[in-house]
Amino acid sequence: MSHPLTAEPAAAPPPQGTHVPAPPAKVRLRGVTKTYARGHSAERFAAVQDVELEIREGEFLALVGPSGCGKSTLLNLIAGFETPDEGEVLVEGTPVAGAGPDRLVIFQEHGLFPWLTVLQNVEFGMKVRGVPKAERRERALQQLKLVHLTRFQSHYPFQLSGGMKQRAAIARALAVEPQMLLMDEPFAALDPSTRDILHAELQSLWMKTRKTVVFVTHSVEEAVRLADRVVVMASQPGRIRRTIEIGLPHPRQFLDPALAELRASILAELQDELTKIMKREGDDDWHLEEGALRRRPGGRVDHSMGDGI
Ligand code: ADP
Ligand code: MG
């Protein structure tokens, strides 16, 4: 087959005598396991188990998998909101010790302060960090320009659409010049056409800034469109099932046939994963109809894995 789906290639051995050390990974997870208590019992389960992952500087990485497979847990470990029970999370070779301004998280809920204008929201993080007023203003305006919200700088969050709020949240995050953006299903609550616009905006922002991005989603469509590399996760315990390089240039168009092939291939893999979940949570005779995951009643092709499973 000619499609660009390739499993991660094994590194070629360096030619003798010309060894150039590879740049250190931006983020490295080594044998990471995170457990939680099951309900109120003393029993614990692994939300993620034995995860090995390297994230390169400037890479756009997507974590994809069904609900509950540990995507947010992995992101929270990188953000420093959680600590691993086993293994370690290293950022540029140093173990993560708590949250830091170099790693900002953007959630599904924009988290803008309702009592501040868009401009004040974008300035807020810089104010907390003691950036002088004039510089704050200048940087905030620059960021608003990047996300095309200059005209709405004096609006309050309630006056904005969902997509505009998320763009303001992205501008606010970028204003403090983090090295990394950690995004946890940031567009999941938006309607499909707004999401489409934000995909295009995020791609163009990323091409301009080349920040390292870790993007969590349960939408395969979103993952293959945006990411350089897609990490497909399996659940219970949460672990990495497969890593796929998307060898296509940015920006990518939604209707690119090469993306459709990649989507189909990843979905086929996840169909297996969902069948496993349903067998565990349903009767033994449960099985998934061929193609059942791909179509919504209205005929629209659905490349997400649903929230409820
Ligand atoms: P995802 O983001 O892929 O939907 P999560 O990382 O949120 O998955 O969760 C993975 C598993 O860990 C789920 O079974 C979830 O219920 C559980 N979990 C997540 N956070 C906590 C927590 N703080 N306490 C207990 N269980 C948790
Ligand atoms: Mg989650």
Side-chain angles (χ1 to χ4, degrees), residues 65-69 234-236 270-282 286 308-309:
S67 191
C69 71
S235 60
Q236 299 206 359
L270 283 163
Q271 198 140 330
D272 215 46
E273 186 59 30
L274 291 176
T275 303
K276 228 174 59 195
I277 293 174
M278 289 311 288
K279 283 207 186 299
R280 200 158 50 214
E281 296 181 0
W286 190 92
I309 298 175

Side-chain angles (χ1 to χ4, degrees), residues 60-201:
F60 197 125
L61 183 101
L63 292 176
V64 68
S67 191
C69 71
K71 302 182 293 297
S72 295
T73 301
L74 268 192
L75 201 79
N76 291 339
L77 285 161
I78 298 169
F81 299 153
E82 299 277 11
T83 47
D85 293 274
E86 279 169 46
E88 54 182 359
V89 181
L90 304 162
V91 173
E92 290 177 350
T94 308
V96 166
D102 57 324
R103 286 159 283 130
L104 284 195
V105 187
I106 294 177
F107 300 98
Q108 184 172 329
E109 269 302 311
H110 56 83
L112 298 172
F113 297 123
W115 60 88
L116 298 180
T117 64
V118 168
L119 182 62
Q120 289 165 341
N121 264 289
V122 177
E123 285 184 359
F124 183 80
M126 291 186 278
K127 193 170 171 181
V128 174
R129 289 174 180 87
V131 178
K133 196 171 171 155
E135 187 185 337
R136 240 170 30 219
R137 180 60 46 102
E138 191 193 325
R139 267 161 62 179
L141 288 171
Q142 259 171 18
Q143 295 305 333
L144 285 174
K145 194 161 175 221
L146 268 181
V147 298
H148 307 109
L149 279 181
T150 308
R151 266 200 310 129
F152 299 91
Q153 57 180 280
S154 304
H155 284 54
Y156 286 89
F158 78 90
Q159 297 172 301
L160 305 180
S161 70
M164 289 156 81
K165 285 181 207 160
Q166 278 310 43
R167 278 151 59 202
I170 292 170
R172 183 183 55 179
L174 288 173
V176 296
E177 298 179 340
Q179 296 179 22
M180 240 188 282
L181 277 186
L182 306 174
M183 308 180 86
D184 195 348
E185 311 218 22
F187 306 147
L190 304 176
D191 63 83
S193 45
T194 307
R195 205 177 305 144
D196 196 29
I197 293 167
L198 286 209
H199 285 169
E201 280 214 344

Side-chain angles (χ1 to χ4, degrees), residues 219-274:
S219 160
V220 175
E221 179 179 275
E222 189 161 76
V224 298
R225 181 168 186 198
L226 297 175
D228 292 323
R229 213 151 49 107
V230 176
V231 172
V232 181
M233 292 183 66
S235 60
Q236 299 206 359
R239 62 206 180 282
I240 293 176
R241 185 177 167 127
R242 189 170 171 202
T243 301
I244 295 155
E245 294 273 354
I246 310 285
L248 298 169
H250 295 271
R252 302 191 192 128
Q253 297 307 319
F254 176 61
L255 294 173
D256 185 338
L259 287 186
E261 245 181 279
L262 280 163
R263 277 199 298 263
S265 155
I266 297 175
L267 271 169
E269 183 135 359
L270 283 163
Q271 198 140 330
D272 215 46
E273 186 59 30
L274 291 176

